[in-house]
């Protein structure tokens, strides 16, 4: 779990962050599968940073929801979400958690938005779209 800096109206949010690496040939399929899992698990914000190198990719994945309101709290079964994400290692045997090659290929930029609600409460500024 990671927290954010203050955004619009001094709002902050908490996200699930997953660091992983895999071959570039599997990246778009993995992103599609993660977006589907988000829809199944009531997660409506999914964006990521990437660093591609030598036919491989480091990914920093973020999952959260938009603004939480007193009369419409969104519930997410984090254990169900985690189980589905772990199952992706069976579908993608070369998917590994953590990053490769040190800070040189640390995915801190190149933001791609796949699912987004309340963007100005989640991201500091408009990023590259997926």
């Amino acid at each position: 779990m990671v927290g954010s800096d203050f955004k619009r109206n001094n709002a902050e949010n908490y996200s699930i962050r997953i660091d992983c690496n895999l071959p570039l040939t599997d990246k778009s399929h993995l992103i599609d599968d993660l977006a589907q899992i988000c829809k199944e698990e009531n997660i409506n914000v999914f964006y990521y940073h990437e660093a591609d190198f030598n036919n491989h990719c480091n990914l920093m994945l973020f999952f959260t929801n938009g603004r939480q309101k007193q009369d419409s709290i969104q519930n997410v079964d984090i254990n169900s979400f985690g189980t589905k994400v772990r199952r992706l290692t069976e579908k993608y045997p070369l998917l590994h958690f953590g990053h490769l090659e040190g800070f040189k290929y640390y995915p801190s930029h190149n933001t791609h938005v796949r699912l987004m609600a309340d963007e100005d409460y989640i991201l500091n500024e408009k990023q590259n779209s997926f």
Side-chain angles (χ1 to χ4, degrees), residues 4-17:
S4 73
D5 293 330
F6 289 111
K7 306 295 188 297
R8 182 176 171 201
N9 298 331
N10 287 329
E12 59 184 330
N13 65 73
Y14 293 96
S15 301
I16 298 168
R17 175 180 148 184

Side-chain angles (χ1 to χ4, degrees), residues 9-84:
N9 298 331
N10 287 329
E12 59 184 330
N13 65 73
Y14 293 96
S15 301
I16 298 168
R17 175 180 148 184
I18 300 173
D19 296 342
C20 63
N21 68 82
L22 74 163
L24 279 174
T25 55
D26 292 336
K27 180 173 67 171
S28 65
H29 299 292
L30 174 70
I31 297 301
D32 289 344
D33 287 343
L34 288 167
Q36 181 59 42
I37 290 171
C38 288
K39 291 174 185 173
E40 294 169 5
E41 296 299 322
N42 195 34
I43 295 173
N44 55 21
V45 174
F46 167 37
Y47 64 97
Y48 61 97
H49 303 301
E50 65 182 0
D52 297 344
F53 60 97
N54 302 328
N55 296 317
H56 215 77
C57 182
N58 283 333
L59 295 171
M60 186 183 303
L61 311 166
F62 293 91
F63 307 90
T64 189
N65 282 321
R67 290 182 294 160
Q68 298 292 302
K69 301 171 188 166
Q70 188 173 4
D71 58 342
S72 63
I73 300 291
Q74 297 163 304
N75 292 309
V76 174
D77 182 341
I78 194 66
N79 292 318
S80 176
F81 174 76
T83 297
K84 289 179 180 182

Side-chain angles (χ1 to χ4, degrees), residues 81-99:
F81 174 76
T83 297
K84 289 179 180 182
V85 170
R86 279 190 301 277
R87 281 191 198 134
L88 290 176
T89 61
E90 296 168 10
K91 184 174 183 179
Y92 303 99
L94 297 177
L95 168 66
H96 299 283
F97 296 106
H99 295 144

